[in-house]
């Protein structure tokens, strides 16, 4: 296994990735790379394949074809123990925070350090408080997850995701369920973390305003394929009608009618 903090080459390299779920092709021949300290945003409508892609980027599932190289390690070839070591260098902030309800906020944040290091408890507590300070949650360290608002849950989950200063942070739908002000604050926090910790950030979102604010590059996925990939300026000025339909939230699919609709309903029976 290559060193997880290797300094040359892309941080993430995806080549010819295809994936199936329940007999349906979810991703088809997807290839892209993510560079060091880049904020890379993946966007797409529900069912476009972006969540499946995220799972494969962190090694939670294997593709049908192709490869995913994370921090110099091909996730389709390494062993479970090697994958465990790679994961020590990444952080994942889940959509709902995914905190353990029986543990306080600071206990949740401390968990990765307790499980993966031999640091003494006082050092772990200091490091955890530093991350909570970054999230403006220092006064909430003894709260239980059920006492937190949606925005606080997101920030607490983010504190836990970055407690080990990962090389790469994956963030699933950071703005989902948040009011505009809280969402904007979280965007600023993501930008600040990238600048302060020098990490690469991969964000899966459907929030266009957030994506345009934080992204260095945006990848649009449609029906399991890359529709567009480029800088914010590239995407917003694209002449592709499907890209513009997605950006302007226009209806993308027509409803089948007549015999075509009957064929659609009975396709699994043929």
């Amino acid at each position: 296994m290559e060193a997880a903090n290797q300094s040359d080459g892309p941080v993430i390299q995806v080549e010819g990735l295809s994936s199936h779920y329940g007999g349906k092709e979810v991703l088809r021949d997807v290839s892209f790379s993510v560079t060091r300290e880049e904020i890379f945003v993946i966007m797409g409508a529900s069912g476009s394949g972006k969540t499946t892609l995220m799972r494969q980027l962190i090694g939670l599932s294997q593709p049908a074809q192709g490869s995913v190289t994370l921090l110099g390690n091909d996730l389709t070839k390494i062993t479970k123990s090697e994958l465990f070591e790679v994961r020590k260098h990444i952080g994942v902030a889940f959509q709902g925070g995914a905190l353990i309800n029986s543990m306080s906020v600071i206990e949740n944040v401390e968990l990765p350090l307790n499980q993966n290091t031999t640091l003494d408890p006082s050092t772990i507590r200091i490091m955890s408080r530093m991350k909570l300070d970054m999230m403006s949650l220092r006064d909430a360290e003894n709260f239980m997850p059920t006492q937190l608002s949606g925005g606080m849950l997101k920030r607490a989950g983010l504190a836990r995701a970055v407690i080990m200063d990962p090389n790469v942070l994956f963030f699933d739908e950071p703005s989902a369920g948040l009011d505009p002000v809280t969402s904007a604050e979280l965007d600023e926090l993501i930008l600040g973390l990238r600048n302060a910790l020098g990490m690469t950030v991969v964000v899966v979102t459907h929030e266009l305003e957030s994506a345009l604010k934080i992204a260095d590059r945006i990848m649009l996925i449609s029906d399991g394929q890359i529709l567009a990939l480029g800088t914010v300026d590239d995407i917003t000025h694209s002449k592709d009608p499907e890209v513009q339909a997605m950006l302007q939230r226009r209806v993308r699919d027509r409803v089948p009618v007549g015999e075509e609709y009957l064929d659609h309903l009975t396709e699994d029976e043929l």
Side-chain angles (χ1 to χ4, degrees), residues 57-80:
L57 291 180
I58 59 180
L60 286 180
S61 59
Q62 290 286 323
Q65 293 180 328
S67 64
V68 176
T69 302
L70 173 61
L71 295 169
N73 302 275
D74 187 340
L75 301 187
T76 63
K77 296 180 179 179
I78 62 177
T79 65
K80 288 184 178 180

Short mmCIF file of all heavy atoms in Angstrom, two decimals, residues 57-80:
data_model
loop_
_atom_site.label_atom_id
_atom_site.label_comp_id
_atom_site.label_asym_id
_atom_site.label_seq_id
_atom_site.Cartn_x
_atom_site.Cartn_y
_atom_site.Cartn_z
N LEU A 57 -16.29 6.25 -3.51
CA LEU A 57 -15.11 7.07 -3.26
C LEU A 57 -14.50 6.80 -1.89
O LEU A 57 -13.30 6.99 -1.69
CB LEU A 57 -15.44 8.56 -3.38
CG LEU A 57 -15.78 9.09 -4.78
CD1 LEU A 57 -16.09 10.58 -4.72
CD2 LEU A 57 -14.66 8.81 -5.77
N ILE A 58 -15.33 6.38 -0.93
CA ILE A 58 -14.81 6.11 0.41
C ILE A 58 -14.73 4.60 0.70
O ILE A 58 -14.48 4.20 1.82
CB ILE A 58 -15.64 6.81 1.50
CG1 ILE A 58 -17.10 6.37 1.47
CG2 ILE A 58 -15.55 8.32 1.33
CD1 ILE A 58 -17.97 7.03 2.53
N GLY A 59 -14.95 3.79 -0.33
CA GLY A 59 -14.75 2.35 -0.19
C GLY A 59 -15.86 1.61 0.50
O GLY A 59 -15.65 0.48 0.98
N LEU A 60 -17.05 2.16 0.54
CA LEU A 60 -18.17 1.46 1.17
C LEU A 60 -18.81 0.44 0.24
O LEU A 60 -19.52 -0.45 0.69
CB LEU A 60 -19.24 2.47 1.63
CG LEU A 60 -18.90 3.30 2.87
CD1 LEU A 60 -20.04 4.25 3.19
CD2 LEU A 60 -18.61 2.39 4.07
N SER A 61 -18.59 0.59 -1.05
CA SER A 61 -19.07 -0.39 -2.01
C SER A 61 -18.10 -0.45 -3.18
O SER A 61 -17.32 0.49 -3.40
CB SER A 61 -20.49 -0.04 -2.50
OG SER A 61 -20.51 1.23 -3.12
N GLN A 62 -18.14 -1.54 -3.91
CA GLN A 62 -17.23 -1.77 -5.01
C GLN A 62 -17.94 -1.55 -6.35
O GLN A 62 -19.10 -1.93 -6.50
CB GLN A 62 -16.67 -3.20 -4.96
CG GLN A 62 -15.71 -3.44 -3.81
CD GLN A 62 -14.36 -2.78 -4.05
OE1 GLN A 62 -13.86 -2.74 -5.17
NE2 GLN A 62 -13.76 -2.26 -2.99
N PRO A 63 -17.24 -0.98 -7.32
CA PRO A 63 -17.86 -0.79 -8.63
C PRO A 63 -17.93 -2.09 -9.42
O PRO A 63 -17.19 -3.04 -9.13
CB PRO A 63 -16.92 0.21 -9.31
CG PRO A 63 -15.58 -0.06 -8.69
CD PRO A 63 -15.88 -0.41 -7.26
N ALA A 64 -18.80 -2.12 -10.42
CA ALA A 64 -18.85 -3.28 -11.31
C ALA A 64 -17.65 -3.28 -12.24
O ALA A 64 -17.10 -4.33 -12.58
CB ALA A 64 -20.14 -3.25 -12.12
N GLN A 65 -17.22 -2.08 -12.64
CA GLN A 65 -16.05 -1.93 -13.50
C GLN A 65 -15.33 -0.64 -13.12
O GLN A 65 -15.90 0.25 -12.50
CB GLN A 65 -16.47 -1.85 -14.98
CG GLN A 65 -17.06 -3.13 -15.55
CD GLN A 65 -17.44 -2.98 -17.00
OE1 GLN A 65 -17.82 -1.91 -17.44
NE2 GLN A 65 -17.33 -4.07 -17.76
N GLY A 66 -14.06 -0.57 -13.50
CA GLY A 66 -13.30 0.65 -13.27
C GLY A 66 -12.57 0.64 -11.95
O GLY A 66 -12.55 -0.36 -11.22
N SER A 67 -11.95 1.78 -11.62
CA SER A 67 -11.14 1.88 -10.41
C SER A 67 -11.33 3.22 -9.72
O SER A 67 -11.68 4.22 -10.34
CB SER A 67 -9.65 1.69 -10.76
OG SER A 67 -9.20 2.74 -11.60
N VAL A 68 -11.10 3.20 -8.41
CA VAL A 68 -11.11 4.41 -7.58
C VAL A 68 -9.79 4.43 -6.82
O VAL A 68 -9.54 3.53 -6.00
CB VAL A 68 -12.28 4.43 -6.59
CG1 VAL A 68 -12.20 5.65 -5.70
CG2 VAL A 68 -13.61 4.38 -7.32
N THR A 69 -8.96 5.42 -7.08
CA THR A 69 -7.69 5.56 -6.37
C THR A 69 -7.80 6.74 -5.42
O THR A 69 -8.06 7.86 -5.84
CB THR A 69 -6.53 5.78 -7.35
OG1 THR A 69 -6.47 4.68 -8.26
CG2 THR A 69 -5.20 5.88 -6.61
N LEU A 70 -7.63 6.46 -4.13
CA LEU A 70 -7.75 7.48 -3.08
C LEU A 70 -6.42 7.57 -2.35
O LEU A 70 -5.94 6.57 -1.79
CB LEU A 70 -8.88 7.09 -2.12
CG LEU A 70 -9.06 7.94 -0.86
CD1 LEU A 70 -9.37 9.40 -1.21
CD2 LEU A 70 -10.16 7.37 0.02
N LEU A 71 -5.82 8.75 -2.38
CA LEU A 71 -4.53 8.97 -1.73
C LEU A 71 -3.49 7.93 -2.15
O LEU A 71 -2.73 7.40 -1.36
CB LEU A 71 -4.70 8.97 -0.20
CG LEU A 71 -5.55 10.11 0.37
CD1 LEU A 71 -5.89 9.86 1.82
CD2 LEU A 71 -4.82 11.44 0.21
N GLY A 72 -3.49 7.63 -3.45
CA GLY A 72 -2.50 6.71 -4.02
C GLY A 72 -2.83 5.25 -3.89
O GLY A 72 -2.03 4.40 -4.28
N ASN A 73 -4.00 4.92 -3.36
CA ASN A 73 -4.38 3.52 -3.13
C ASN A 73 -5.61 3.16 -3.94
O ASN A 73 -6.66 3.81 -3.83
CB ASN A 73 -4.67 3.30 -1.64
CG ASN A 73 -3.48 3.64 -0.76
OD1 ASN A 73 -2.60 2.84 -0.55
ND2 ASN A 73 -3.44 4.87 -0.25
N ASP A 74 -5.49 2.10 -4.76
CA ASP A 74 -6.61 1.62 -5.55
C ASP A 74 -7.57 0.87 -4.63
O ASP A 74 -7.26 -0.24 -4.16
CB ASP A 74 -6.12 0.71 -6.67
CG ASP A 74 -7.22 0.31 -7.65
OD1 ASP A 74 -8.41 0.40 -7.29
OD2 ASP A 74 -6.88 -0.11 -8.77
N LEU A 75 -8.74 1.46 -4.37
CA LEU A 75 -9.68 0.87 -3.42
C LEU A 75 -10.29 -0.43 -3.92
O LEU A 75 -10.87 -1.18 -3.13
CB LEU A 75 -10.79 1.87 -3.09
CG LEU A 75 -10.36 3.21 -2.49
CD1 LEU A 75 -11.59 4.01 -2.05
CD2 LEU A 75 -9.40 3.02 -1.33
N THR A 76 -10.15 -0.72 -5.21
CA THR A 76 -10.70 -1.96 -5.74
C THR A 76 -9.72 -3.13 -5.58
O THR A 76 -10.07 -4.27 -5.87
CB THR A 76 -11.05 -1.81 -7.23
OG1 THR A 76 -9.85 -1.54 -7.99
CG2 THR A 76 -12.04 -0.68 -7.44
N LYS A 77 -8.51 -2.85 -5.11
CA LYS A 77 -7.49 -3.89 -5.02
C LYS A 77 -6.92 -4.10 -3.62
O LYS A 77 -6.34 -5.14 -3.34
CB LYS A 77 -6.34 -3.58 -5.99
CG LYS A 77 -6.75 -3.60 -7.45
CD LYS A 77 -5.56 -3.29 -8.36
CE LYS A 77 -5.98 -3.33 -9.83
NZ LYS A 77 -4.83 -2.99 -10.72
N ILE A 78 -7.05 -3.12 -2.74
CA ILE A 78 -6.42 -3.24 -1.43
C ILE A 78 -7.23 -4.13 -0.50
O ILE A 78 -8.42 -4.37 -0.72
CB ILE A 78 -6.21 -1.85 -0.78
CG1 ILE A 78 -7.55 -1.14 -0.54
CG2 ILE A 78 -5.29 -0.99 -1.63
CD1 ILE A 78 -7.39 0.20 0.17
N THR A 79 -6.58 -4.60 0.55
CA THR A 79 -7.24 -5.47 1.54
C THR A 79 -8.07 -4.63 2.51
O THR A 79 -7.95 -3.40 2.55
CB THR A 79 -6.20 -6.27 2.33
OG1 THR A 79 -5.40 -5.34 3.10
CG2 THR A 79 -5.29 -7.06 1.39
N LYS A 80 -8.88 -5.31 3.30
CA LYS A 80 -9.70 -4.60 4.30
C LYS A 80 -8.83 -3.87 5.32
O LYS A 80 -9.16 -2.76 5.74
CB LYS A 80 -10.62 -5.59 5.01
CG LYS A 80 -11.76 -6.10 4.15
CD LYS A 80 -12.70 -7.00 4.95
CE LYS A 80 -13.87 -7.47 4.10
NZ LYS A 80 -14.80 -8.35 4.86
#
